[in-house]
Amino acid sequence: MWDSLIYSWITIELTCTSVLAYTEGLHGKWMFSEIRAVFSRRYLLQNTAMEVFMANRTSVMFNFPDQATVKKVVYSLPRVGVGTSYGLPQARRISLATPRQLFKSSNMTQRWQRREISNFEYLMFLNTIAGRTYNDLNQYPVFPWVLTNYDSEELDLTLPGNFRDLSKPVGALNPKRAAFYAERYETWEDDQTPPCHYNSHYSTAASTLHWLVRIEPFTTFLLSANNNKFDHPDRTFSAIARSWRNCQRDTSDVKELIPEFYYLPEMFVNSNGYHLGMREDRTMVCDVDLPAWAKKPEDLVRINRMALESEFVSCQLHQWIDLIFGYKQRGPEAVRALNVFHYLTYEGSVKLDSITDPPLREATEAQIQSFGQTPSQLLIEPHPPRSSAMHLCFLPQSPLMFKDQMQQDVIMVLKFPSNSPVTHVAANTLPHLTIPAVVTVTCSRVFAVNRWHNTVAPGYSLEQAHHLPIEMDSLVANNTGSNKRQITDLVDQSIQITTHCFVVTADNRYILVCGFWDKSFRVYSSETGKLTQIVFGHWDVVTCLARSESYIGGDCYIVSGSRDATLLLWYWSGRHHIIGDNPNNTPRAVLTGHDQEVVCVSVCAELGLVISGAKEGPCLVHTITGDLLRALEGPEHYRCPRLISVSSEGHCIIKYERGCFCNFSINGKLLAQMEVNDSTRAILLSSDGHNLVTGGDNGVVEVWQACDFKQLYVYPGCDAGIRAMDLSHDQRTLITGMASGSIVAFNIDFNRWHYEHQNRY
Ligand SMILES: *[C@@H]1O[C@H](CO)[C@@H](O)[C@H](O)[C@H]1NC(C)=O
Ligand SMILES: *[C@@H]1O[C@H](CO)[C@@H](O)[C@H](O)[C@H]1NC(C)=O
Ligand SMILES: *[C@@H]1O[C@H](CO)[C@@H](O)[C@H](O)[C@H]1NC(C)=O
Ligand SMILES: *[C@@H]1O[C@H](CO)[C@@H](O)[C@H](O)[C@H]1NC(C)=O
Ligand SMILES: *[C@@H]1O[C@H](CO)[C@@H](O)[C@H](O)[C@H]1NC(C)=O
């Protein structure tokens, strides 16, 4: 049978045929084994397209002559469904399901309601199943404006007045203009076309290019679509405040935003120095003018995102979903909500196939392209609201409740019968695991699987604070008999044992260890301590390991760094409990570019990136396919990276020798730095990437705000140094491994440092 798909006969249709030169390879080759998700798509409102997502985080969209062909192709492709992220079976019928069916059968709505996923993630999910894609400018993902204040020096996110009313479409926000649109609809006279409120749309290829004009490939797309000229300077995106004002006043401007407003500061900077022209008020258009409350583009994105995830937006977001994806999208409810767009923007309004006259068909296609396309309708009844955040709030922390700070912060201390420092802590505490546990490994490679009880309810009281989540049964009982859990294979004398020398698999069943003289790294069963696999591939001693935190489309990767200055990326097969997915057990990628021993490494699974540091620098960013993207340049006097932690959005914290911390953006920009006494041995980030936790030789755990390294909290000191840390899955317990061989569990609540909770105590 085929093991790869070669469709040289497929025409890949892009919005502007004249920019095809920009894309590589009109006929491509995509390995079946690399396909992770298949979605049916619309193209020009016809159900004739398909989008395929690959393991390396790229995707490709195909348009076919008709729907029957889409079906045939899907049935020849691997059975991957729409991937593993939405809780749907990996079946071909799922790839062919309608958006409404996908919405119904996925449990993402419940996960959003329960606040297991963010507003951003949920909107991205809705956009994706409703056919919105980065591969078609005409169906680009839609995100709402959420703020109304772009003028004041300070932005108070606790003031409702600073937030947009999400129950209304952009066109209905300003009452005067709303009246104008309502009247236009009521006094509609054209018999040829059904009435509508607006003659423009909230998302079109032109508006997407308008927002993204400063970055490639969009600059090229815009120039090709516009006779190699930029738009008129007075119409070019030049100031956030002005764009917002236009969306309130201009009768033909009802634009919503795109997801980039919530993560891509680069879109506001004219870093390529394009000549965007002079406005009529004689100002040059260059970088986008930011709101007064944002000193730099990163502030704008960070605060905009904070607003998107705020309570005000969480409480109202379902109403905006009703307008864009839901029951107010069409029909009488749409009329009532002032939400009717040109009829050619809706699915089913025109059957291109039935138009036999080529010029007429071409004209209709052109119209669909310029009018914009309304997303597929996902539900025809009101979308449920998000659950209240109240249950997430802690009981008030009144000083009366606790005798002293120590009692409040520290849940428990576990002494171990070994005095070897605990150098690695892995808290895999998800309830559905066979053994939810905290696995600890000491410097002398004694390990323990400490069972975890998911019983600590959110909102603890004094009694609950004494309720121990961890049990150290396994180690004590099993450490005495013949079943002693020590990895006895000797590591190379010259290797410095750090937390980066160990990896515990997500199911707690295997421990990976490096540093062996024979240049291997090894896999041990955590149940028996027995060696299960020896992995060769490096030319010198393996010095550090990392695994992808979550599964990438069901894949899990292990990265090994070595004294030979390279990194190897391996596939971890959860089913077969081995590293490698082919008989020769070769790595999937070789990551080169360092010229020295690699000492620390971290993987950002969501974006498919590997960040690694060499003994005397630099830090490099690679893709999981092995492409070197860039070097992260630390400040002058700090050359030697020691610890790396990366957030799901690709923000990266690097701790250098001599106590320097840096926050780098995904694109390599140094965003913040600080210097502290160099005793730090362990760092970690909260799951949202906002908070950094550090621990060190002084036995003190400290919490910092990651965007500016403002210190938020200092825990009471412990009597031993801290060597390793991890957070329980619910982010409520911090477990530290101590130099004395103990482990300590701390209560932690990141909400407590969130601005929305500041006023509640
Ligand atoms: C991703 O994989 C596809 C095929 O499997 C390949 O064509 C493409 O070049 C790869 N892209 C990157 C960035 O590695
Ligand atoms: C969603 O579905 C997945 C797969 O069926 C399941 O593992 C997960 O627990 C479900 N989540 C919720 C909140 O129901
Ligand atoms: C000791 O380890 C064995 C095998 O891993 C396990 O079956 C047993 O339950 C453990 N003992 C205790 C008291 O946990
Ligand atoms: C660093 O440590 C020294 C001695 O322990 C102390 O005197 C100094 O204040 C510390 N500096 C900072 C910035 O914490
Ligand atoms: C780094 O700085 C950015 C921008 O200020 C911020 O959004 C981010 O949360 C910071 N830290 C991390 C780890 O992401």
Side-chain angles (χ1 to χ4, degrees):
M1 290 301 290
W2 307 342
D3 58 345
S4 74
L5 176 65
I6 306 167
Y7 274 136
S8 47
W9 49 272
I10 293 176
T11 41
I12 305 173
E13 290 196 34
L14 291 181
T15 343
C16 333
T17 39
S18 49
V19 297
L20 278 182
Y22 195 92
T23 67
E24 291 160 31
L26 252 189
H27 24 100
K29 187 168 156 180
W30 293 271
M31 302 294 286
F32 268 30
S33 59
E34 298 291 297
I35 294 178
R36 292 295 175 269
V38 176
F39 283 86
S40 358
R41 290 287 183 228
R42 301 184 309 182
Y43 184 69
L44 294 178
L45 297 176
Q46 315 303 303
N47 292 307
T48 54
M50 175 187 85
E51 194 173 21
V52 177
F53 291 78
M54 315 299 298
N56 65 6
R57 325 294 288 153
T58 60
S59 62
V60 53
M61 187 163 161
F62 302 95
N63 186 36
F64 296 99
D66 51 44
Q67 201 172 358
T69 313
V70 177
K71 205 165 165 186
K72 242 192 269 170
V73 173
V74 169
Y75 270 92
S76 338
L77 291 176
R79 199 174 297 149
V80 290
V82 296
T84 53
S85 336
Y86 302 152
L88 291 167
Q90 293 199 272
R92 293 187 179 108
R93 70 184 156 78
I94 298 294
S95 295
L96 293 168
T98 63
R100 205 174 294 178
Q101 286 164 340
L102 288 180
F103 178 81
K104 259 216 171 95
S105 41
S106 156
N107 63 14
M108 292 293 276
T109 307
Q110 293 89 302
R111 295 185 59 202
W112 172 72
Q113 287 180 289
R114 287 187 218 162
R115 297 178 183 248
E116 291 169 20
I117 56 170
S118 65
N119 288 339
F120 181 90
E121 286 170 289
Y122 189 56
L123 288 178
M124 220 50 222
F125 158 74
L126 294 176
N127 271 289
T128 304
I129 62 166
R132 314 306 283 192
T133 161
Y134 289 121
N135 282 320
D136 185 352
L137 293 174
N138 278 302
Q139 307 184 72
Y140 215 72
V142 193
F143 268 60
W145 287 95
V146 296
L147 290 170
T148 54
N149 178 348
Y150 297 94
D151 297 312
S152 67
E153 287 289 327
E154 298 275 323
L155 182 70
D156 184 350
L157 288 182
T158 64
L159 279 186
N162 286 334
F163 286 85
R164 165 207 173 162
D165 178 354
L166 286 165
S167 67
K168 294 188 176 131
V170 167
L173 289 174
N174 170 354
K176 255 200 211 142
R177 199 173 60 153
F180 166 83
Y181 289 133
E183 183 174 334
R184 173 192 281 171
Y185 188 91
E186 278 148 25
T187 58
W188 194 264
E189 278 179 354
D190 184 350
D191 318 325
Q192 303 298 308
T193 52
C196 61
H197 293 112
Y198 311 104
N199 52 15
S200 63
H201 200 261
Y202 50 80
S203 167
T204 62
S207 66
T208 305
L209 292 176
H210 172 83
W211 295 130
L212 295 173
V213 58
R214 287 168 180 79
I215 50 175
E216 286 292 10
F218 305 97
T219 314
T220 302
F221 289 162
L222 183 130
L223 289 173
S224 324
N226 201 35
N227 288 328
N228 264 327
K229 286 198 306 268
F230 286 110
D231 205 351
H232 188 284
D234 280 297
R235 277 194 308 263
T236 297
F237 176 33
S238 55
I240 309 269
R242 190 177 302 122
S243 293
W244 170 247
R245 271 198 306 275
N246 287 347
C247 287
Q248 306 305 298
R249 292 181 195 161
D250 191 326
T251 49
S252 60
D253 188 351
V254 292
K255 283 199 263 314
E256 289 279 11
L257 301 183
I258 53 176
E260 282 82 349
F261 272 84
Y262 297 95
Y263 64 80
L264 192 71
E266 284 80 3
M267 68 179 274
F268 305 107
V269 184
N270 186 14
S271 56
N272 290 319
Y274 297 123
H275 295 289
L276 298 170
M278 191 190 281
R279 296 174 44 82
E280 239 143 52
D281 62 14
R282 310 206 60 75
T283 52
M284 295 300 292
V285 181
C286 188
D287 294 346
V288 175
D289 289 341
L290 303 176
W293 43 260
K295 299 286 162 286
K296 47 186 200 293
E298 287 78 16
D299 292 342
L300 168 64
V301 167
R302 184 171 51 83
I303 294 169
N304 215 15
R305 178 65 174 274
M306 225 147 77
L308 179 69
E309 302 299 344
S310 69
E311 261 329 285
F312 287 119
V313 172
S314 290
C315 295
Q316 287 191 69
L317 193 57
H318 62 286
Q319 297 182 301
W320 186 80
I321 296 170
D322 288 337
L323 293 167
I324 307 293
F325 303 102
Y327 80 112
K328 292 187 182 170
Q329 193 198 72
R330 343 174 96 182
E333 290 291 347
V335 178
R336 212 164 303 152
L338 237 60
N339 197 33
V340 181
F341 296 85
H342 193 282
Y343 80 104
L344 277 182
T345 71
Y346 293 97
E347 187 170 352
S349 54
V350 53
K351 290 241 175 308
L352 285 179
D353 276 347
S354 60
I355 307 177
T356 44
D357 176 32
L360 183 61
R361 180 176 169 137
E362 223 167 87
T364 314
E365 285 183 4
Q367 270 177 327
I368 295 176
Q369 287 197 353
S370 61
F371 285 134
Q373 294 173 28
T374 302
S376 294
Q377 194 174 20
L378 297 178
L379 69 173
I380 48 176
E381 64 281 353
H383 189 285
R386 208 175 192 198
S387 313
S388 150
M390 284 318 283
H391 74 277
L392 297 174
C393 293
F394 267 20
L395 297 172
Q397 296 186 333
S398 105
L400 292 173
M401 281 188 68
F402 298 97
K403 286 208 186 70
D404 56 33
Q405 193 63 32
M406 194 70 182
Q407 219 170 355
Q408 172 182 342
D409 287 333
V410 179
I411 305 176
M412 62 189 303
V413 180
L414 296 183
K415 291 262 190 252
F416 277 66
S418 143
N419 286 329
S420 176
V422 176
T423 45
H424 191 83
V425 174
N428 295 309
T429 60
L430 271 173
H432 69 76
L433 290 173
T434 333
I435 346 165
V438 175
V439 179
T440 55
V441 192
T442 72
C443 214
S444 53
R445 297 173 313 289
V446 174
F447 67 87
V449 181
N450 307 283
R451 264 161 214 290
W452 181 266
H453 302 287
N454 287 280
T455 49
V456 199
Y460 59 83
S461 64
L462 191 56
E463 291 78 16
Q464 281 167 319
H466 287 293
H467 191 110
L468 310 185
I470 307 186
E471 215 175 85
M472 57 185 293
D473 62 354
S474 40
L475 183 83
V476 177
N478 281 328
N479 208 15
T480 45
S482 56
N483 217 356
K484 189 167 175 181
R485 294 186 183 193
Q486 177 160 26
I487 292 161
T488 47
D489 297 349
L490 289 180
V491 297
D492 195 282
Q493 290 282 314
S494 64
I495 189 106
Q496 203 190 350
I497 304 288
T498 69
T499 192
H500 286 299
C501 294
F502 306 97
V503 156
V504 176
T505 56
D507 56 6
N508 288 322
R509 295 179 62 188
Y510 297 91
I511 300 173
L512 280 60
V513 184
C514 69
F516 299 102
W517 63 271
D518 65 357
K519 300 159 190 162
S520 70
F521 65 94
R522 303 181 182 191
V523 184
Y524 298 87
S525 155
S526 67
E527 199 185 330
T528 61
K530 282 207 184 91
L531 178 63
T532 62
Q533 194 183 4
I534 305 184
V535 187
F536 291 104
H538 282 288
W539 298 100
D540 206 335
V541 175
V542 181
T543 42
C544 55
L545 295 170
R547 77 167 162 90
S548 55
E549 196 55 48
S550 57
Y551 291 79
I552 307 172
D555 299 333
C556 184
Y557 295 105
I558 305 287
V559 180
S560 58
S562 157
R563 220 164 253 173
D564 68 13
T566 63
L567 295 135
L568 299 179
L569 185 119
W570 309 83
Y571 178 67
W572 169 254
S573 159
R575 193 176 312 152
H576 302 109
H577 314 302
I578 52 158
I579 287 174
D581 57 348
N582 57 41
N584 307 329
N585 191 25
T586 49
R588 279 175 75 94
V590 182
L591 283 52
T592 57
H594 285 296
D595 52 12
Q596 272 177 348
E597 169 173 351
V598 184
V599 292
C600 46
V601 59
S602 192
V603 183
C604 174
E606 288 79 0
L607 300 169
L609 298 175
V610 177
I611 294 120
S612 59
K615 198 167 183 179
E616 291 169 33
C619 287
L620 298 181
V621 182
H622 287 88
T623 66
I624 51 168
T625 33
D627 293 322
L628 174 59
L629 294 181
R630 62 178 50 83
L632 301 176
E633 301 287 348
E636 194 66 34
H637 304 294
Y638 297 97
R639 287 267 164 257
C640 309
R642 289 296 172 264
L643 298 166
I644 298 181
S645 192
V646 58
S647 75
S648 57
E649 304 209 352
H651 281 109
C652 175
I653 302 282
I654 298 176
K655 189 253 156 190
Y656 293 86
E657 212 171 67
R658 295 197 280 133
C660 180
F661 283 80
C662 292
N663 173 344
F664 289 97
S665 80
I666 174 103
N667 289 315
K669 188 166 172 196
L670 177 57
L671 297 175
Q673 69 181 83
M674 73 163 169
E675 287 176 39
V676 293
N677 269 350
D678 188 24
S679 76
T680 309
R681 293 291 197 114
I683 63 174
L684 59 82
L685 286 170
S686 59
S687 60
D688 61 10
H690 294 332
N691 298 115
L692 169 72
V693 185
T694 62
D697 290 333
N698 55 2
V700 177
V701 172
E702 289 166 88
V703 184
W704 313 82
Q705 190 162 293
C707 63
D708 55 5
F709 292 121
K710 184 176 143 210
Q711 190 179 57
L712 298 171
Y713 192 66
V714 182
Y715 278 84
C718 303
D719 56 4
I722 292 159
R723 291 299 173 83
M725 295 190 299
D726 204 3
L727 280 169
S728 62
H729 175 76
D730 62 4
Q731 307 263 308
R732 305 304 287 269
T733 310
L734 173 77
I735 300 106
T736 60
M738 315 300 288
S740 60
S742 319
I743 65 176
V744 178
F746 294 88
N747 277 316
I748 196 160
D749 174 18
F750 292 107
N751 286 331
R752 176 174 161 191
W753 300 295
H754 192 274
Y755 75 94
E756 286 182 312
H757 296 252
Q758 291 296 300
N759 305 331
R760 298 198 183 165
Y761 301 127

